[in-house]
Amino acid sequence: MADVRVPAITFFLVTVHLFLSNAATPSPSPAPGPRYIIVDKFGGGDYTRIQDAIAAVPSNNSGPVDIWVKPGIYNERVIVPANKPFITLIGSIEEKQRVVITGKRGGSIKESATVSVLASDFVGQDLIIENTYGRGTQAVALRVTGDRVSFYGCRILSFQDTLFDEAGRHFYSDCLILGATDFICGNAASVFERCHVHSISPYGGAITAQQRTSLDEKTGFTFMDCNITGVKSAILGRPWGNYSRVIFAHTFMSEDGLLRRI
């Protein structure tokens, strides 16, 4: 991969353009005091399935709900509906006791997702989200469509279209995102901060496929202080639409075992 240098002023102006001039109507003030739900696949909590815990959250919820998931492998499809905002899904930081949400589903970019976040004001923390389908078709691990959505310390793993960053304003911090083909794709306005992006492509596949379709859309992907590696060479992105926009700033990219700053 060749070194690329993005002027600091360009990064600053585009970031302001995406996240300040595009300010949305403030979200409703949540009711005081979170509600806590515990998920334990072995029966030690309120529910044994994550989807059952989400189903227990009232529709049009206006107060924060923390769903704590105990370590284990949860083989299920998880959907956070649009009418259930203010949910925080919390896993585990213990390396040997992680929360893994897994699926093996290929085909449609929208229907194959292991986890789909359609609600606004969602937070995911310390989760492993994977789609183990492998090569051959779209196999999304995480689909994000809600607005004001954040992920912290998560691992998002698949092969093709791993992260379908479909729409909305999103923030990813200290996450690992792994895939081979267009594995960060969609038309959201998103910032990736201190994330590790790893390509497992054996043939130089694209890391990003951003889908902005007009100059008027205030969307794009910004990678800041990230680390990009791969098993072989990869390209940073390919256009999915005529106005795709991706920015890499203060990011390391591996080449011949070395890390180079751009």
Side-chain angles (χ1 to χ4, degrees), residues 24 26 31 43 48 87 98 103 137 146-147 160 202 204-205 222 259-261:
T48 58
I87 290 176
R98 299 299 299 249
T137 188
D147 195 25
Q160 181 172 338
T222 298
L259 294 176
R260 298 187 178 182
R261 190 178 184 87

Side-chain angles (χ1 to χ4, degrees), residues 11-157:
F11 171 74
F12 173 78
L13 290 174
V14 174
T15 302
V16 170
H17 179 65
L18 291 180
F19 297 100
L20 296 184
S21 66
N22 193 31
T25 303
S27 59
S29 298
R35 176 185 176 191
Y36 296 95
I37 300 174
I38 296 176
V39 178
D40 183 357
K41 67 171 297 181
F42 300 107
D46 302 303
Y47 298 95
T48 58
R49 297 177 71 253
I50 297 169
Q51 191 62 49
D52 291 341
I54 293 170
V57 178
S59 296
N60 303 312
N61 171 60
S62 62
V65 178
D66 290 351
I67 299 177
W68 295 79
V69 186
K70 291 193 174 182
I73 298 175
Y74 294 82
N75 192 339
E76 57 177 299
R77 186 181 183 190
V78 175
I79 300 175
V80 184
N83 64 349
K84 297 194 176 186
F86 304 114
I87 290 176
T88 297
L89 191 62
I90 305 168
S92 170
I93 62 173
E94 296 295 331
E95 188 61 35
K96 294 183 179 180
Q97 299 185 43
R98 299 299 299 249
V99 172
V100 181
I101 309 173
T102 187
K104 187 177 182 180
R105 194 175 291 106
S108 166
I109 194 170
K110 293 186 177 182
E111 299 302 321
S112 65
T114 300
V115 175
S116 296
V117 178
L118 312 182
S120 64
D121 301 287
F122 174 91
V123 177
Q125 181 177 328
D126 299 318
L127 305 165
I128 297 176
I129 302 170
E130 65 179 16
N131 189 326
T132 61
Y133 184 87
R135 306 183 187 190
T137 188
Q138 296 167 320
V140 176
L142 174 63
R143 174 192 175 196
V144 188
T145 300
D147 195 25
R148 299 181 300 273
V149 173
S150 301
F151 286 87
Y152 300 89
C154 293
R155 300 179 186 179
I156 307 165
L157 316 173

